[in-house]
Amino acid sequence: MSDTPDSAVHTYTRKHRAAFLDDLAEWLRIPSVSAQPEHDGDVRRSAEWLSKKLAETGFPVTEVWETPGAPAVFAEWPSQDPDAPVVLVYGHHDVQPAAREDGWNSDPFEPVIRDGRMYGRGAADDKGQVFFHTLGVRAHLAATGRTTPAVHLKLLVEGEEESGSPHFRALAEERAARLAADVVIVSDTGMWDENTPTVCTGMRGLAECEIELTGPAQDIHSGSFGGAVPNPATALARLVAALHDEDGRVAVPGFYDGVTELTETERELFAQLPFDEDTWLRTASSRATAGEAGYSTLERVWARPTAEVNGIGGGYQGAGSKTVIPSSAFVKLSFRLVAGQDPERVQEAVRAWAEARVPAGVGHRITFSPATRPCLTPLDHPALQAVARAMGRAFGTKILFTREGGSGPAADLQDVLGAPVLFLGISVPSDGWHGPDEKVELDLLLKGVETTAHLWGELATALR
């Protein structure tokens, strides 16, 4: 009996496993650390290596796109079907700094395989998860007998994600016509754990600000002047104390405007995940949970907006005492945003709230950093269901759903292209992103290959 498409994908993937891992190891040897200027040449070499490898894979169009910083890679493989949906895959080829003395058991840029895992900087974040698309598209063609993908396939692999993607938004806007797509697949994410395959449905956005309050032109004697002039440190403490109400809700008027509330289905699906709060607290190096009343821990970090104090200071900080009224005090705040919130409106609301609480005689300066928008794809979206089906075929088990509490450039693509963003990743928490001995589980990496091999056909059917 001939292979079914699913078994054909599995067979093809295993047959080409060794060559695939050899190629990935070669790419991991390039120390493409975007944060360190001495590696600028390596980041460029990484882009050029990937462009060449994508051409060898079969992509008829591969280009290195310049930015004011590090280069990105674009590739395109049109489908022979004129009405095929257009899919854009996003990832990044730059990596975090790494050195043996950081605690690695081997050279971070000389990948090794131990106990079914490949260790090396970028193995999971994000070269491994970008690279499984190369073997995946070939397995898709081999299993279906096609000569072109079932979708019009595009890849955009940036080179500055680990440096905050400072030029990514401008690149997306400049190249919007080339990047136009019906759906965006982000392969820079992960699953719940090794035994629980999951699909992420969204990421939170981010707005950040620093508030500085000023009082006397210099530090002054608290005995001579205390109680008679405003103290900026006291004013700042009162401001921070007013940030939340007694139920843990952000007390900034208008902050929750537009928030997309969790559905009962989503809450039920989150509850199905094997979440152990004690284990989570140990990971968080904390002794108790806290936050907005009426929501579980996972709901708070995935689906609710937050306000956090990231740093606070002012006045004398040395040993012993120095009895002064400080001339200034500051606080750094970050606001995680969820679907439905507009970062600009949130910034306006925070500014108005803070300014209204600055007492007479105290100056203020409020500075906002560039914001990141949230993104969310509804559970019933056909493309999201296609991702879940493709992963279910590869893993042979039920797929659950998560969200991501952090933020990233994926929302820029959603904003610029007007396309839903979906997440496909096989990394797990133990992979150690950004830390020593970063690794990827080889069995899961190959499941990623199989998932993408199934995904293009699933999307072609779902989006017609």
Side-chain angles (χ1 to χ4, degrees):
M1 185 176 69
S2 63
D3 282 344
T4 66
D6 285 18
S7 63
V9 164
H10 183 82
T11 299
Y12 187 92
T13 300
R14 266 54 188 177
K15 180 180 178 181
H16 294 85
R17 175 183 187 274
F20 167 74
L21 294 179
D22 286 345
D23 284 343
L24 176 57
E26 182 179 330
W27 195 19
L28 295 179
R29 291 189 185 99
I30 302 175
S32 50
V33 182
S34 61
Q36 297 176 331
E38 62 266 31
H39 286 293
D40 287 353
D42 294 314
V43 179
R44 177 166 298 280
R45 188 158 58 97
S46 171
E48 292 170 347
W49 185 96
L50 177 60
S51 179
K52 180 180 178 182
K53 187 57 63 175
L54 291 173
E56 292 175 2
T57 297
F59 283 84
V61 177
T62 62
E63 300 171 2
V64 174
W65 284 358
E66 300 297 336
T67 78
V73 176
F74 174 78
E76 187 170 12
W77 196 335
S79 174
Q80 63 190 9
D81 301 335
D83 59 345
V86 182
V87 179
L88 173 67
V89 175
Y90 165 86
H92 63 91
H93 66 92
D94 64 320
V95 299
Q96 282 280 310
R100 183 71 181 267
E101 54 266 29
D102 295 337
W104 287 75
N105 287 306
S106 56
D107 186 332
F109 294 106
E110 187 51 55
V112 297
I113 293 177
R114 298 192 301 267
D115 302 322
R117 305 177 178 104
M118 179 177 283
Y119 291 84
R121 177 58 87 220
D125 181 24
D126 181 37
K127 289 180 177 177
Q129 300 203 90
V130 168
F131 201 59
F132 68 55
H133 287 281
T134 62
L135 183 53
V137 70
R138 298 206 313 269
H140 163 67
L141 298 178
T144 60
R146 300 180 59 92
T147 58
T148 63
V151 299
H152 187 116
L153 186 58
K154 301 178 182 181
L155 269 66
L156 177 62
V157 186
E158 72 157 313
E160 295 184 304
E161 195 275 345
E162 300 293 8
S163 297
S165 301
H167 304 106
F168 184 73
R169 173 79 182 212
L171 177 67
E173 291 174 343
E174 176 188 351
R175 305 277 190 163
R178 296 287 304 279
L179 296 172
D182 297 304
V183 66
V184 176
I185 302 290
V186 174
S187 282
D188 183 23
T189 184
M191 309 191 308
W192 178 263
D193 61 29
E194 290 86 341
N195 301 310
T196 313
T198 53
V199 172
C200 177
T201 63
M203 301 180 75
R204 292 195 291 187
L206 177 64
E208 300 172 275
C209 74
E210 180 173 337
I211 301 174
E212 182 183 18
L213 301 186
T214 55
Q218 63 182 35
D219 290 357
I220 57 176
H221 194 286
S222 65
S224 300
F225 303 102
V229 297
N231 185 321
T234 301
L236 187 80
R238 289 173 176 158
L239 182 74
V240 171
L243 188 57
H244 297 89
D245 67 16
E246 60 184 13
D247 291 322
R249 284 177 61 86
V250 180
V252 175
F255 181 75
Y256 290 92
D257 289 354
V259 165
T260 300
E261 299 291 343
L262 274 164
T263 66
E264 286 305 312
T265 298
E266 288 173 308
R267 302 187 84 166
E268 291 170 3
L269 288 171
F270 288 175
Q272 292 179 27
L273 292 163
F275 176 70
D276 181 83
E277 195 161 272
D278 290 338
T279 300
W280 182 87
L281 279 170
R282 286 194 294 272
T283 302
S285 301
S286 301
R287 293 184 293 272
T289 61
E292 186 180 1
Y295 295 91
S296 70
T297 298
L298 289 182
E299 291 168 356
R300 289 170 180 164
V301 297
W302 286 348
R304 296 302 295 168
T306 62
E308 294 293 346
V309 175
N310 305 128
I312 189 169
Y316 180 64
Q317 304 288 323
S321 63
K322 185 178 182 183
T323 53
V324 298
I325 295 174
S327 64
S328 65
F330 73 90
V331 64
K332 295 178 182 288
L333 302 175
S334 64
F335 302 87
R336 297 288 177 173
L337 311 179
V338 299
Q341 286 181 293
D342 183 338
E344 293 182 359
R345 291 187 62 184
V346 168
Q347 291 174 346
E348 292 170 359
V350 170
R351 183 181 296 278
W353 168 83
E355 290 178 341
R357 281 161 179 76
V358 177
V362 174
H364 69 276
R365 183 177 63 187
I366 305 174
T367 307
F368 285 91
S369 301
T372 301
R373 290 184 175 276
C375 61
L376 176 67
T377 301
L379 283 174
D380 59 357
H381 194 287
L384 178 61
Q385 291 301 314
V387 174
R389 286 194 300 273
M391 183 173 275
R393 290 171 65 180
F395 281 83
T397 190
K398 179 182 179 181
I399 305 302
L400 298 178
F401 296 91
T402 64
R403 292 195 198 178
E404 171 59 57
S407 309
D412 285 331
L413 288 173
Q414 183 183 57
D415 199 31
V416 172
L417 304 181
V421 172
L422 310 171
F423 298 85
L424 171 58
I426 50 76
S427 185
V428 290
S430 62
D431 284 345
W433 290 26
H434 297 193
D437 281 351
E438 179 185 346
K439 55 84 175 172
V440 66
E441 301 282 338
L442 297 185
D443 286 346
L444 297 183
L445 188 64
L446 295 179
K447 291 296 185 185
V449 171
E450 293 185 31
T451 298
T452 62
H454 299 312
L455 179 57
W456 311 135
E458 291 283 1
L459 283 173
T461 299
L463 297 179
R464 287 189 191 278

